[in-house]
Each structure stands twice: as structure tokens, then as C-alpha cells.
């Protein structure tokens, strides 16, 4: 029997208070309104951004939004659509995305940008764009949304500009990591705090992402087959950048990290060699230049450290080298490099969400996975049933593994 147009009662993991374990309980999910879709979530996973907002660190201290349903990485199937929705329909397989694509604003109309004016990530919005109200409630009391996705619920309501329609053959328990994808360290979340509380950077908040690292390599640095790539920072984002280098058939992938414990896990990700800047008594850019006969073809900075940003730029070859910044710095950071590095034809760029337009481009990345050109399974290290969602939080807080898959039907 169709549930379209009706309130659905289902299980959701509700964050009632900052830092308190989520409570899995029955909630009401209202039907989707104009330009909205209601999605049955099959798999979701946890990212540091969820933990950060659950701890309330990323929230405005005067107005923390609770109760709230967190979650933004997921895969699901459309249950019903609201007025005006033509791009997706009942039964479509979709990935909800924390940042959207309205297809009408100057950013969406520009081929170069993915930073939609209407649907760019917004951590402070707790209701839907259409009327500011929530679609979730419990005994008539509203429950706030998170990033417009709130995927820790069997059903959720999302703006149609925040769902990427994908190949229905794609396994949702794997490709759902593309909807955000990778855990993020404390440096990044501190930045989120700065950016969301201090209005100056209101629109510059980032969520972590496999696609940020992967896209930084394949969309922005674009190494040629046989080229050399240096990856600074071997957290999940850096590992995704290395996966991009592997897909581009780079012949050398050099991993750089201050923490040697990161090298072991990284071996599965195609690195050909590792460098710890602490093992050398000269700047790491000089070490890399010596290793590579003048510098690498591309470098991807995935640390958030300005020191690494400078090294990443100065270690690329003159004449053609491209460095891409992915790491999010602290608010007052700045760095210095000699302008001659630019005059010598080195390029420095930066990226948000790997330059992917969420709706237009993610289906193609899913196809890459289906054709076995892109590996995702190695990023998924744990799995728990929905009722044990708090265990996924424990893994994350203990820094265990890369990604924990949460199975909604288990
Ligand atoms: P992480 O904390 O897991 O990994 C960062 C790694 O960098 C750590 O292993 C650390 O030891 C290493 N590191 C720190 N300083 C270094 C230095 N000077 N030289 C070499 N290594 C150094 O973080 P993550 O989740 O992989 O995220 C990485 C960065 O990417 C963060 O800054 C995050 O905010 C950013 N990010 C950006 C986007 C975007 O769209 N631009 C999206 C997601 C994440
Ligand atoms: Zn737009």
C-alpha cells in the first residue's frame, strides 16, 4: 500500500542532548513538500562532522539545535515526492548529499563551480528550505534536521537538489560512502566551529569527503598516466586522494605524514613510497625534489597545516607542477611562499568537495565503481546494525578504522 502523502512512523536515532548516546525510537516523518523527496534509507555511515555536532561543538552555543536527527552519508530509495519534483520518482536509488545543486544559480550555471548559492552546505539550518519547518516530530514536538539530510532515520525528507540519482544496480552499502565518505580529524572540526560560529566564514563550512580527496586528484590536479603524485596527510581524505592517483595510473605515489603509524594502513592504497618530514634535517619539499629529479608532477595537501600547504606547493616541478589544497586551515592562518615559485610556472589551486557537482557528477563516479575502476570497499572497515548506532560513535571517538557502515534493516 502506498504511503505517499501520509505521515510515516518509523525508527530514528534521535540526539536529544549534546553528547548523550543517541536514542533509537519511533518518530513521525511528514510527507515531502514542494521540491522535496522522502527517502527510505537503507545504509548510512558516520562521519566526524556528525560526532562534532552531536557533541554540540560545531553549534552556536546560544542556540544549539536539539533534539536533532544527524547523519549525512547514506544510500536509499525514494518513497514519495513532493510538488514540483520531476527529476526523481518513486523507486529511484539515491544518495542524499550534504551540499546541493539547484541548477539555476550562477555557481550551478558555471562549469567551473560546484558551490551552489541555494543549497551549499549549511550546518545551522534545522528546518527545510521551503517553509523553515521540520518534517520530523515526536508526539507533536519538532525534531531538527541536520545538513538537510538527517539520514539516521528509516525515512527522511530531503530537498530534491540534495539527492543524486544513481544506477539502481549499484550496491548501496558501498556507494553510500560517496555521499560524504571519509572521516575527518579534530583539526577540521575545530575549523568548522570557527567557521560556523563566526559569521565571517558562514558559507565556508566544509564537510569531510572521500570525494574531496579523490576529486582533488582526478578533477583538479589531473596527473597524467605515468606521472608522480605527492599526498600530504594520510587520513581518510589523503587516502582518497591516493585512490585518485591510482585511478589516473600515476607511476609514483609518495605519501607524506608526520605520524608514522599512518604508513601501515596506507600501504593498501597504492603508495609507492613514504616520507616522514621528521626523519630529515631539511624541508620536505627539498627531499621530494631530490627523490624525483626536480619535483613531482602534482601534489595534494590533505592536512589543514599551512606548513604542509607550503611544502606541497614548493615540491611540485617547475614548468608544469600543480599543487591542490584540500585541508581546511584554522581561521587566522596564512602562509608565505616566494612569488618566483609562481613565475617558474608552478600552479596552486584549492577545492571544495573535489570540484564535483553533487547531482550531475556523482552518478558518474558510481559508474566508475561499477566498472571496477574505483575501489571503495577498502574504506569500509566496520559494520553495525541500526540499533547499535552508538557503537559506530565509539569507533569514531577511539579513532578506530576508516568507515563504519550502519545497516538500517538489521
Ligand atoms: P586526518 O586528521 O585524519 O588526517 C590528517 C593527517 O595529516 C594526519 O595523519 C596528520 O598526521 C597529517 N599531518 C598534519 N600536519 C602535517 C604536516 N605538516 N605534514 C605532513 N602530515 C601532516 O584528517 P582527514 O579527515 O583526512 O582530513 C584532512 C583534511 O582535509 C582536513 O583538514 C579536512 O578539514 C580537509 N577536508 C577538506 C575538504 C574540502 O572539500 N576541501 C573536505 C573534507 C575534508
Ligand atoms: Zn545552485
Amino acid at each position: 500500500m502506498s504511503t505517499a502523502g501520509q505521515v510515516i512512523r518509523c525508527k530514528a536515532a534521535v540526539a536529544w542532548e549534546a553528547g548523550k548516546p543517541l536514542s533509537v525510537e519511533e518518530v513521525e516523518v511528514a510527507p515531502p513538500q514542494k521540491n522535496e523527496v522522502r527517502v527510505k534509507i537503507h545504509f548510512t555511515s558516520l562521519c566526524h562532522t556528525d560526532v562534532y555536532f552531536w557533541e554540540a561543538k560545531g553549534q552556536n552555543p546560544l542556540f544549539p539545535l536539539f533534539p536533532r536527527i544527524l547523519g549525512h552519508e547514506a544510500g536509499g530509495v525514494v518513497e514519495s515526492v513532493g510538488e514540483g519534483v520531476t527529476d526523481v520518482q518513486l523507486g529511484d536509488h539515491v544518495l542524499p548529499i550534504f551540499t546541493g545543486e539547484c541548477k539555476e544559480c550562477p555557481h550551478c550555471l558555471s562549469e567551473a563551480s560546484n558551490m551552489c548559492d541555494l543549497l551549499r552546505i549549511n550546518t545551522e539550518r534545522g528546518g527545510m528550505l521551503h517553509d523553515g519547518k521540520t518534517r520530523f516530530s515526536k508526539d507533536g514536538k519538532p525534531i531538527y534536521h541536520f545538513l538537510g539530510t538527517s539520514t539516521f532515520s528509516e525515512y527522511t525528507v530531503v530537498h530534491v537538489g540534495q539527492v543524486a540519482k544513481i544506477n539502481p544496480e549499484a550496491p548501496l552499502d558501498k556507494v553510500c560512502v560517496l555521499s560524504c565518505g571519509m572521516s575527518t580529524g579534530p583539526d577540521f572540526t575545530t575549523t568548522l566551529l570557527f567557521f560556523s560560529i563566526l559569521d565571517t566564514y558562514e558559507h565556508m563550512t566544509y564537510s569531510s569527503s572521500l570525494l574531496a580527496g579523490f576529486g582533488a586528484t582526478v578533477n583538479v590536479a589531473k596527473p597524467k598516466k605515468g606521472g608522480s603524485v605527492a599526498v600530504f596527510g594520510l587520513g581518510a581524505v589523503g587516502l582518497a586522494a591516493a585512490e585518485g592517483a591510482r585511478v589516473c595510473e600515476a607511476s609514483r605515489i609518495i605519501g607524506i605524514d608526520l605520524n608514522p603509524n599512518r604508513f601501515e594502513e596506507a600501504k593498501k592504497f597504492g603508495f609507492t613510497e613514504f616520507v616522514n618530514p621528521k626523519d630529515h634535517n631539511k624541508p620536505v619539499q627539498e627531499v621530494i625534489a631530490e627523490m624525483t629529479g626536480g619535483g613531482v608532477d602534482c601534489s595534494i595537501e590533505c592536512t589543514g597545516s599551512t606548513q604542509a600547504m607550503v611544502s606541497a606547493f614548493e615540491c611540485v616541478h617547475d614548468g608544469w607542477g600543480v599543487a591542490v589544497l584540500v585541508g581546511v586551515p584554522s581561521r587566522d592562518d596564512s602562509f608565505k611562499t616566494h612569488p618566483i615559485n609562481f613565475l617558474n610556472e608552478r600552479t596552486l589551486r584549492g577545492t571544495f568537495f573535489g570540484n564535483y557537482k553533487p547531482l550531475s557528477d556523482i552518478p558518474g563516479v558510481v559508474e566508475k565503481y561499477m566498472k571496477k575502476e574505483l575501489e571503495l570497499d577498502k574504506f569500509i572497515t566496520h559494520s553495525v546494525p541500526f540499533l547499535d548506532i552508538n557503537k559506530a560513535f565509539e569507533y569514531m571517538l577511539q579513532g578506530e578504522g576508516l568507515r563504519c557502515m550502519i545497516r538500517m534493516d538489521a
Side-chain angles (χ1 to χ4, degrees):
M1 206 186 69
S2 168
T3 42
Q6 296 173 22
V7 170
I8 289 181
R9 278 169 218 287
C10 68
K11 283 201 190 67
V14 183
W16 286 98
E17 269 180 59
K20 273 227 168 141
L22 302 188
S23 157
V24 179
E25 53 192 272
E26 197 173 270
V27 301
E28 295 104 44
V29 185
Q33 304 296 308
K34 192 171 178 198
N35 293 329
E36 294 171 1
V37 298
R38 191 162 55 184
V39 179
K40 182 175 195 318
I41 299 295
H42 287 235
F43 296 94
T44 183
S45 48
L46 178 64
C47 149
H48 224 101
T49 315
D50 300 305
V51 176
Y52 200 65
F53 279 81
W54 165 70
E55 289 175 326
K57 290 188 188 155
Q59 303 214 31
N60 182 331
L62 299 177
F63 311 102
L65 293 181
F66 289 106
R68 201 170 198 187
I69 296 176
L70 301 165
H72 63 288
E73 292 183 28
V77 176
V78 174
E79 173 270 339
S80 62
V81 303
E83 184 195 328
V85 173
T86 51
D87 290 354
V88 296
Q89 57 184 14
L90 172 94
D92 281 345
H93 287 216
V94 292
L95 304 181
I97 313 288
F98 64 89
T99 189
E101 189 179 342
C102 75
K103 302 195 174 170
E104 287 173 2
C105 74
H107 283 277
C108 286
L109 293 176
S110 156
E111 265 185 31
S113 174
N114 63 349
M115 302 204 295
C116 175
D117 280 335
L118 183 70
L119 298 166
R120 192 182 312 170
I121 179 172
N122 183 330
T123 56
E124 293 187 359
R125 193 187 300 132
M128 296 304 289
L129 209 54
H130 173 58
D131 54 8
K133 295 197 178 129
T134 72
R135 305 289 173 258
F136 297 111
S137 59
K138 170 96 185 168
D139 305 327
K141 186 177 162 40
I143 301 176
Y144 293 113
H145 294 248
F146 177 61
L147 299 181
T149 50
S150 293
T151 59
F152 296 163
S153 174
E154 289 175 316
Y155 287 86
T156 186
V157 176
V158 183
H159 191 286
V160 66
Q162 282 185 251
V163 289
K165 178 173 154 181
I166 59 159
N167 182 345
E169 308 273 303
L172 288 173
D173 60 334
K174 301 292 189 307
V175 298
C176 88
V177 298
L178 291 172
S179 80
C180 170
M182 285 305 130
S183 60
T184 277
D187 288 356
F188 162 57
T189 40
T190 310
T191 312
L192 244 184
L193 172 69
F194 282 135
F195 283 1
S196 50
I197 290 181
L198 304 173
D199 283 359
T200 335
Y201 288 90
E202 195 187 351
H203 296 295
M204 278 194 62
T205 50
Y206 290 85
S207 184
S208 61
S209 169
L210 175 148
L211 284 177
F214 186 75
T217 310
V218 303
N219 294 337
V220 189
K222 299 184 184 165
K224 293 204 175 84
K225 186 175 172 177
S228 53
V229 178
V231 177
F232 285 75
L234 305 181
V237 176
L239 299 181
E243 176 62 7
R246 189 193 66 78
V247 167
C248 292
E249 299 181 63
S251 63
R252 291 181 76 176
I253 310 176
I254 305 170
I256 299 112
D257 204 297
L258 297 170
N259 177 359
N261 297 335
R262 293 273 172 146
F263 297 151
E264 197 49 47
E265 173 93 55
K267 283 184 184 151
K268 288 182 229 144
F269 289 80
F271 287 96
T272 55
E273 51 233 285
F274 294 103
V275 178
N276 185 341
K278 287 186 186 160
D279 294 342
H280 301 272
N281 52 14
K282 56 181 145 190
V284 68
Q285 50 270 46
E286 287 178 26
V287 177
I288 294 170
E290 279 168 19
M291 284 166 69
T292 53
V296 282
D297 299 317
C298 313
S299 72
I300 321 290
E301 178 282 321
C302 308
T303 69
S305 143
T306 50
Q307 192 189 15
M309 293 176 187
V310 171
S311 302
F313 178 48
E314 295 181 355
C315 82
V316 299
H317 208 289
D318 57 4
W320 60 81
V322 180
V324 183
L325 306 187
V326 184
V328 178
S330 299
R331 187 175 183 239
D332 294 327
D333 276 347
S334 60
F335 62 71
K336 191 170 127 181
T337 185
H338 199 283
I340 197 74
N341 291 317
F342 292 95
L343 300 181
N344 285 345
E345 301 181 356
R346 293 180 179 90
T347 303
L348 178 61
R349 298 194 55 188
T351 182
F352 165 64
F353 198 48
N355 275 36
Y356 284 108
K357 285 185 187 277
L359 272 52
S360 308
D361 298 336
I362 289 179
V365 182
V366 168
E367 289 314 308
K368 265 190 192 300
Y369 171 77
M370 296 301 280
K371 287 193 233 144
K372 298 196 173 7
E373 291 169 10
L374 158 67
E375 292 173 15
L376 293 177
D377 305 27
K378 61 191 176 189
F379 288 96
I380 302 162
T381 51
H382 295 75
S383 163
V384 295
F386 187 38
L387 288 177
D388 289 343
I389 187 166
N390 289 302
K391 240 187 225 164
F393 276 70
E394 282 165 30
Y395 293 140
M396 170 86 37
L397 290 169
Q398 287 155 9
E400 237 183 80
L402 291 171
R403 238 329 156 261
C404 179
M405 193 56 55
I406 298 159
R407 309 184 304 274
M408 301 306 283
D409 57 354

